Amino acid sequence: MKLTRIGLTTLLAFFSFGSASLSAADFRLASAISDHMVLQREKPVAMWGWADAGETVTVAFAGQSKSATAGTDGNWSLKLEALAASAESRTLVVTGKEGRKVEVKDVLVGEVWLGSGQSNMAMTVASCYHFDAEKAAAKYPLIRHYRESSGPSDTPQAEGIGAWQICTPDTVGGFSAALYFFGREIHKEVGVPVGLINTSVGGTPIESWVAAEVQSSDPDTKANYDTRLEAHLKFDPAQAPALHQKQMAVWKAASEKAKANGTPFVVPAPKDPLAMWKLKGGPAGLFNGKVVNLVPYTLRGMLWYQGEGNANSNPGLYQKQLTQLVTSWRTIWQDEVPFAWVQLPNFTSPGEGWPRVRESMLKTLALPKTGMAITIDLGDAKDIHPKNKQDVGKRLSFWALGTVYGKNVPAISGPLPAGSTISANAITVSFNHTNGGLKSITGGPLKGFQIAGVDQQWKPAEAKIVGETVVVSSSGGIQPLAVRYAWKDWPDYSLANGAGLPASPFCTDDWTVPVVKK
């Protein structure tokens, strides 16, 4: 996948577009370079903004002074030399011609992580378990949260909207919960200021977050991109209310029928199409509106919590799409930063969409410097927004602390399948990240394993732990060809490592499955 030239060329075009609308008198910094920010330690620190064409701009901070000249489009950029971590509140001063000056106050230096995705990344601390206790304890002035508040755009936007907030009991309720609980662990264990950049929007598919050039230039995703773009361009806002009424009528009828039959009905009510159109835009809409303006803010790493929006629409494409997102974001930042995501938790949703997105997330770990928080035990059967984000953040932090910061942690991941071998009537699966040995979560027999033979029909299987492997077999006389584990939206799960972290759902087959289109 050749993304490097696409990414760099596109990035330059983004900044040119964003600065073109600025008047000659404008003298400003990128929105994320603002009061209370945290700068990344131990790496050259990017600074950028706008001034008059040809104007010399000087940035002074922590004893350094660096200058750059604005181009014909008014855009300028430079890098400060790497800084040591500092909890001292200092002022960054940017000066131009004729006494023009911008002061950025209360600047710290530490670790900066960007978090993105849909509603479970956007979900706030106020919406999580034990908020009263979390609020009272949120006295961390060295943790800062930046919420990117821009909307989607059909074209790349170099300027955004957002503000940094200091973590206090009065502000923490509006922080991204997954980011905050992750950042709190990093702050406690590493002992430096932590900046958390939150750019996320609920109800959005991954297509909204990947550059148009990346999606349209790849033959595996071009058709999907074209379909999404056509639907976006054909959308008629005037007809949206009537469409929503029809969708609601169908949903209500199905709900009432299920209730009359005494069967569960967990299908969420259809979302207002006009509201969603405004919220996410077309394919690449959120990348254009909420990611571009953050480039090239210097980061330690990135976190991603999304997938629900793709589980019922071509879930088999998600591995390619997540690979595109990770690779292209690293490219436009020109930095192969560590990148981790949250695997979808257990949830009641019809079909195989959720298991297949989980499997795509597992397979994407083939990319270098990536990690995954396994959350198959943290979901809510009827709520797509599980409230236990504390453990989500902690599991992400285990990965970061163990791999990025070199700290001793119980485990950086739950068990991940590392290969399998087939014998006469059993399949032996080996695992990585067994940390203290594999175990049953309940202490009883393992559950959630299935095997299939040549007919590709899945049957319940017996499973037992043998060292760092699990031997899976069936008493039904099946000649096994493949095994899968926890392969349902709300599966039985039973396997963990010695640190108590659950194993990832997985399958060993590569059988063709029908393409699901929404």
Side-chain angles (χ1 to χ4, degrees), residues 147-163:
R147 182 174 179 269
E148 211 300 315
S149 303
S150 305
S153 175
D154 287 344
T155 54
Q157 300 296 308
E159 286 197 287
I161 302 170

Side-chain angles (χ1 to χ4, degrees), residues 1-4 214 218 320 323-325 327-328 367:
M1 182 164 36
K2 296 181 179 179
L3 294 177
T4 301
V214 173
D218 191 316
K320 166 65 73 170
T323 298
Q324 287 180 341
L325 184 138
T327 306
S328 64
L367 292 176

Side-chain angles (χ1 to χ4, degrees), residues 26 283 291 369 408 457 484:
D26 279 310
V291 177
K369 297 168 68 174
N408 290 324
Q457 299 300 304
R484 66 187 188 184

Side-chain angles (χ1 to χ4, degrees), residues 352 356 363 422 427 450-459 478-484 487 507-514:
E352 288 196 351
R356 296 212 172 273
K363 289 181 176 180
I422 302 174
I427 299 180
Q450 296 176 303
I451 60 174
V454 67
D455 62 358
Q456 299 185 11
Q457 299 300 304
W458 294 99
K459 305 292 183 181
I478 297 175
Q479 176 86 26
L481 293 180
V483 59
R484 66 187 188 184
W487 196 265
C507 65
T508 64
D509 71 275
D510 57 0
W511 299 330
T512 302
V513 296

